[in-house]
Amino acid sequence: MDADSTAWERRSVVRVVPPVEPRKLAKVPFVELADGRLQGVVSSGSDIERVYVSSITAGTHALSCSTNNNRPCGALHGYACKHIRMLADEAVVQYGLDRVARYLRVEVPEGGNLMHEITGHVERTPAAVVFSRFLRHLAYLEVPDSTEPLAELHWFPATGAVR
Ligand SMILES: [Zn+2]
């Protein structure tokens, strides 16, 4: 038994760049700072088949949330729904508070909460753009060999009809 070659084989697994802290992929499978927005995909708390596309626009802090089929989120009325809050929480985990606050152009006091400073109006942004970016992200995603179910790939079968 050659211990060196075994170690090499173990190391040959493709590595994914780790976020600042481990993320809850099942709840927020996709988050990015792009197109002048913090945007991403948030799974529904009640319905496993449904996802929300949520975003906060940099500068204006306009809030948007709808399902991947462009149905408006019923919980978004003038203040952020829980999907946008979850997205913001995950963005802070993924990128760190400083980077998210800088991108959105918001001042967060020392020890403060990002969402306390976000007071934008509701503005519907089309979910399709963000959702197709999410699907592309999945297509390029390289994952290590694992027998565990993959939270991100879980969304593939349900969304195949979108293409
Ligand atoms: Zn929502």
Short mmCIF file of all heavy atoms in Angstrom, two decimals, residues 37-40 52-57 61-67 70 72-73 76 79-81 83-84 87 120-127 130:
data_model
loop_
_atom_site.label_atom_id
_atom_site.label_comp_id
_atom_site.label_asym_id
_atom_site.label_seq_id
_atom_site.Cartn_x
_atom_site.Cartn_y
_atom_site.Cartn_z
N ARG A 37 -26.80 45.10 -8.04
CA ARG A 37 -27.74 44.61 -7.03
C ARG A 37 -27.09 43.51 -6.19
O ARG A 37 -26.23 42.78 -6.68
CB ARG A 37 -28.99 44.01 -7.69
CG ARG A 37 -29.96 45.00 -8.29
CD ARG A 37 -31.26 44.32 -8.70
NE ARG A 37 -31.05 43.39 -9.79
CZ ARG A 37 -31.15 43.72 -11.08
NH1 ARG A 37 -31.44 44.95 -11.42
NH2 ARG A 37 -30.94 42.83 -12.02
N LEU A 38 -27.54 43.43 -4.95
CA LEU A 38 -27.38 42.18 -4.21
C LEU A 38 -28.57 41.33 -4.60
O LEU A 38 -29.71 41.74 -4.43
CB LEU A 38 -27.39 42.45 -2.70
CG LEU A 38 -27.69 41.25 -1.81
CD1 LEU A 38 -26.67 40.14 -1.97
CD2 LEU A 38 -27.76 41.67 -0.35
N GLN A 39 -28.34 40.19 -5.20
CA GLN A 39 -29.46 39.39 -5.71
C GLN A 39 -29.17 37.91 -5.52
O GLN A 39 -28.03 37.50 -5.37
CB GLN A 39 -29.70 39.70 -7.19
CG GLN A 39 -28.48 39.46 -8.08
CD GLN A 39 -28.67 40.05 -9.47
OE1 GLN A 39 -29.52 40.89 -9.68
NE2 GLN A 39 -27.86 39.60 -10.42
N GLY A 40 -30.24 37.14 -5.51
CA GLY A 40 -30.04 35.72 -5.32
C GLY A 40 -31.35 34.96 -5.29
O GLY A 40 -32.42 35.51 -5.55
N TYR A 52 -37.74 31.82 -4.44
CA TYR A 52 -37.93 33.25 -4.63
C TYR A 52 -36.65 33.86 -5.17
O TYR A 52 -35.55 33.45 -4.77
CB TYR A 52 -38.30 33.92 -3.31
CG TYR A 52 -39.70 33.59 -2.86
CD1 TYR A 52 -39.95 32.47 -2.09
CD2 TYR A 52 -40.76 34.39 -3.25
CE1 TYR A 52 -41.23 32.15 -1.70
CE2 TYR A 52 -42.06 34.08 -2.86
CZ TYR A 52 -42.28 32.95 -2.09
OH TYR A 52 -43.56 32.63 -1.71
N VAL A 53 -36.81 34.80 -6.07
CA VAL A 53 -35.68 35.58 -6.56
C VAL A 53 -35.79 36.95 -5.90
O VAL A 53 -36.78 37.66 -6.09
CB VAL A 53 -35.71 35.70 -8.10
CG1 VAL A 53 -34.61 36.64 -8.58
CG2 VAL A 53 -35.56 34.32 -8.73
N SER A 54 -34.82 37.27 -5.06
CA SER A 54 -34.87 38.49 -4.25
C SER A 54 -33.68 39.38 -4.59
O SER A 54 -32.62 38.88 -4.97
CB SER A 54 -34.81 38.15 -2.76
OG SER A 54 -35.76 37.15 -2.45
N SER A 55 -33.88 40.70 -4.45
CA SER A 55 -32.75 41.59 -4.69
C SER A 55 -32.89 42.90 -3.93
O SER A 55 -33.99 43.33 -3.56
CB SER A 55 -32.59 41.87 -6.19
OG SER A 55 -33.63 42.69 -6.66
N ILE A 56 -31.74 43.54 -3.69
CA ILE A 56 -31.66 44.89 -3.14
C ILE A 56 -30.76 45.67 -4.10
O ILE A 56 -29.63 45.26 -4.37
CB ILE A 56 -31.03 44.90 -1.73
CG1 ILE A 56 -31.82 44.00 -0.77
CG2 ILE A 56 -30.97 46.34 -1.19
CD1 ILE A 56 -31.12 43.79 0.57
N THR A 57 -31.27 46.79 -4.62
CA THR A 57 -30.50 47.58 -5.57
C THR A 57 -29.50 48.46 -4.83
O THR A 57 -29.85 49.07 -3.81
CB THR A 57 -31.44 48.44 -6.42
OG1 THR A 57 -32.40 47.59 -7.04
CG2 THR A 57 -30.67 49.21 -7.51
N HIS A 61 -31.44 51.22 -2.85
CA HIS A 61 -31.90 50.20 -1.90
C HIS A 61 -33.33 49.73 -2.20
O HIS A 61 -34.07 49.34 -1.29
CB HIS A 61 -31.79 50.68 -0.45
CG HIS A 61 -30.38 51.12 -0.12
ND1 HIS A 61 -30.09 52.04 0.83
CD2 HIS A 61 -29.19 50.75 -0.66
CE1 HIS A 61 -28.78 52.24 0.87
NE2 HIS A 61 -28.22 51.47 -0.02
N ALA A 62 -33.73 49.81 -3.46
CA ALA A 62 -35.03 49.28 -3.86
C ALA A 62 -35.06 47.78 -3.62
O ALA A 62 -34.07 47.08 -3.81
CB ALA A 62 -35.27 49.58 -5.34
N LEU A 63 -36.22 47.31 -3.16
CA LEU A 63 -36.38 45.90 -2.79
C LEU A 63 -37.24 45.18 -3.82
O LEU A 63 -38.25 45.71 -4.27
CB LEU A 63 -37.07 45.80 -1.42
CG LEU A 63 -36.42 46.59 -0.28
CD1 LEU A 63 -37.33 46.56 0.95
CD2 LEU A 63 -35.06 46.00 0.06
N SER A 64 -36.84 43.97 -4.17
CA SER A 64 -37.63 43.19 -5.11
C SER A 64 -37.66 41.74 -4.66
O SER A 64 -36.66 41.21 -4.16
CB SER A 64 -37.02 43.29 -6.51
OG SER A 64 -37.72 42.45 -7.39
N CYS A 65 -38.82 41.11 -4.80
CA CYS A 65 -38.92 39.69 -4.47
C CYS A 65 -40.09 39.09 -5.25
O CYS A 65 -41.20 39.62 -5.23
CB CYS A 65 -39.13 39.48 -2.97
SG CYS A 65 -39.09 37.74 -2.47
N SER A 66 -39.82 38.01 -5.97
CA SER A 66 -40.88 37.31 -6.69
C SER A 66 -40.46 35.85 -6.84
O SER A 66 -39.30 35.51 -6.60
CB SER A 66 -41.12 37.94 -8.06
OG SER A 66 -39.93 37.92 -8.81
N THR A 67 -41.40 35.01 -7.24
CA THR A 67 -41.04 33.62 -7.46
C THR A 67 -40.29 33.52 -8.78
O THR A 67 -40.28 34.46 -9.59
CB THR A 67 -42.28 32.71 -7.54
OG1 THR A 67 -42.99 33.05 -8.74
CG2 THR A 67 -43.17 32.89 -6.35
N ASN A 70 -42.04 34.65 -11.75
CA ASN A 70 -42.40 36.07 -11.79
C ASN A 70 -43.68 36.42 -11.06
O ASN A 70 -44.31 37.43 -11.34
CB ASN A 70 -42.50 36.57 -13.23
CG ASN A 70 -41.21 37.30 -13.63
OD1 ASN A 70 -40.55 37.90 -12.79
ND2 ASN A 70 -40.86 37.24 -14.89
N PRO A 72 -45.31 37.96 -7.89
CA PRO A 72 -44.81 38.81 -6.81
C PRO A 72 -44.89 38.11 -5.46
O PRO A 72 -45.85 37.37 -5.20
CB PRO A 72 -45.72 40.03 -6.84
CG PRO A 72 -46.62 39.89 -8.00
CD PRO A 72 -46.48 38.52 -8.58
N CYS A 73 -43.91 38.36 -4.62
CA CYS A 73 -43.91 37.80 -3.27
C CYS A 73 -44.99 38.49 -2.46
O CYS A 73 -45.04 39.71 -2.37
CB CYS A 73 -42.54 38.02 -2.63
SG CYS A 73 -42.52 37.68 -0.87
N LEU A 76 -43.94 40.99 0.59
CA LEU A 76 -43.16 42.21 0.39
C LEU A 76 -44.08 43.41 0.24
O LEU A 76 -44.70 43.63 -0.79
CB LEU A 76 -42.27 42.06 -0.86
CG LEU A 76 -41.37 43.24 -1.23
CD1 LEU A 76 -40.40 43.57 -0.11
CD2 LEU A 76 -40.61 42.94 -2.51
N TYR A 79 -41.65 46.98 3.23
CA TYR A 79 -40.47 46.62 4.01
C TYR A 79 -40.03 45.22 3.58
O TYR A 79 -40.82 44.49 2.97
CB TYR A 79 -40.73 46.67 5.52
CG TYR A 79 -41.95 45.90 5.93
CD1 TYR A 79 -41.84 44.55 6.27
CD2 TYR A 79 -43.22 46.49 5.98
CE1 TYR A 79 -42.96 43.83 6.64
CE2 TYR A 79 -44.33 45.78 6.35
CZ TYR A 79 -44.20 44.44 6.68
OH TYR A 79 -45.30 43.72 7.02
N ALA A 80 -38.81 44.88 3.88
CA ALA A 80 -38.24 43.64 3.35
C ALA A 80 -38.96 42.41 3.88
O ALA A 80 -39.26 42.31 5.07
CB ALA A 80 -36.76 43.57 3.71
N CYS A 81 -39.27 41.47 2.99
CA CYS A 81 -39.84 40.18 3.41
C CYS A 81 -38.71 39.31 3.94
O CYS A 81 -37.54 39.65 3.86
CB CYS A 81 -40.51 39.52 2.22
SG CYS A 81 -39.37 39.24 0.85
N HIS A 83 -37.50 36.66 2.78
CA HIS A 83 -36.59 36.17 1.73
C HIS A 83 -35.43 37.15 1.53
O HIS A 83 -34.28 36.75 1.42
CB HIS A 83 -37.34 35.96 0.42
CG HIS A 83 -38.61 35.20 0.58
ND1 HIS A 83 -39.84 35.76 0.37
CD2 HIS A 83 -38.83 33.92 0.97
CE1 HIS A 83 -40.78 34.87 0.63
NE2 HIS A 83 -40.20 33.74 1.00
N ILE A 84 -35.79 38.45 1.48
CA ILE A 84 -34.75 39.47 1.30
C ILE A 84 -33.83 39.49 2.53
O ILE A 84 -32.62 39.62 2.41
CB ILE A 84 -35.39 40.85 1.05
CG1 ILE A 84 -36.11 40.83 -0.32
CG2 ILE A 84 -34.33 41.96 1.09
CD1 ILE A 84 -36.85 42.11 -0.65
N LEU A 87 -31.57 36.56 2.27
CA LEU A 87 -30.57 36.83 1.24
C LEU A 87 -29.47 37.74 1.79
O LEU A 87 -28.28 37.49 1.59
CB LEU A 87 -31.25 37.49 0.03
CG LEU A 87 -30.31 37.90 -1.11
CD1 LEU A 87 -29.81 36.69 -1.86
CD2 LEU A 87 -31.01 38.87 -2.05
N GLY A 120 -35.39 51.01 1.39
CA GLY A 120 -35.82 51.35 0.03
C GLY A 120 -37.28 50.99 -0.22
O GLY A 120 -37.90 50.27 0.56
N HIS A 121 -37.82 51.51 -1.31
CA HIS A 121 -39.19 51.18 -1.71
C HIS A 121 -39.20 49.87 -2.50
O HIS A 121 -38.15 49.36 -2.88
CB HIS A 121 -39.76 52.32 -2.55
CG HIS A 121 -38.98 52.55 -3.81
ND1 HIS A 121 -37.73 53.12 -3.79
CD2 HIS A 121 -39.25 52.24 -5.09
CE1 HIS A 121 -37.27 53.18 -5.03
NE2 HIS A 121 -38.16 52.65 -5.84
N VAL A 122 -40.39 49.37 -2.75
CA VAL A 122 -40.53 48.11 -3.49
C VAL A 122 -40.50 48.41 -4.98
O VAL A 122 -41.18 49.31 -5.46
CB VAL A 122 -41.85 47.41 -3.12
CG1 VAL A 122 -42.05 46.16 -3.98
CG2 VAL A 122 -41.85 47.04 -1.65
N GLU A 123 -39.70 47.67 -5.71
CA GLU A 123 -39.56 47.87 -7.14
C GLU A 123 -39.35 46.49 -7.75
O GLU A 123 -38.38 45.81 -7.43
CB GLU A 123 -38.33 48.76 -7.38
CG GLU A 123 -38.06 49.11 -8.81
CD GLU A 123 -36.77 49.93 -8.92
OE1 GLU A 123 -36.84 51.13 -8.68
OE2 GLU A 123 -35.72 49.35 -9.19
N ARG A 124 -40.30 46.05 -8.57
CA ARG A 124 -40.21 44.69 -9.10
C ARG A 124 -39.15 44.59 -10.20
O ARG A 124 -39.23 45.28 -11.18
CB ARG A 124 -41.55 44.27 -9.68
CG ARG A 124 -42.71 44.37 -8.70
CD ARG A 124 -42.70 43.27 -7.67
NE ARG A 124 -43.72 43.49 -6.65
CZ ARG A 124 -43.79 42.79 -5.53
NH1 ARG A 124 -42.91 41.85 -5.26
NH2 ARG A 124 -44.74 43.03 -4.66
N THR A 125 -38.19 43.73 -9.97
CA THR A 125 -37.22 43.46 -11.03
C THR A 125 -37.53 42.08 -11.59
O THR A 125 -37.90 41.18 -10.83
CB THR A 125 -35.78 43.46 -10.48
OG1 THR A 125 -35.81 43.45 -9.07
CG2 THR A 125 -35.03 44.68 -10.93
N PRO A 126 -37.40 41.92 -12.90
CA PRO A 126 -37.74 40.62 -13.49
C PRO A 126 -36.88 39.50 -12.90
O PRO A 126 -35.66 39.63 -12.83
CB PRO A 126 -37.45 40.80 -14.97
CG PRO A 126 -37.35 42.27 -15.19
CD PRO A 126 -36.94 42.87 -13.89
N ALA A 127 -37.52 38.44 -12.47
CA ALA A 127 -36.79 37.34 -11.84
C ALA A 127 -35.99 36.54 -12.85
O ALA A 127 -34.99 35.91 -12.52
CB ALA A 127 -37.78 36.42 -11.11
N VAL A 130 -32.06 37.01 -13.10
CA VAL A 130 -31.32 36.46 -11.97
C VAL A 130 -31.40 34.94 -11.99
O VAL A 130 -30.41 34.24 -11.75
CB VAL A 130 -31.89 36.99 -10.63
CG1 VAL A 130 -31.16 36.38 -9.45
CG2 VAL A 130 -31.79 38.51 -10.58
#
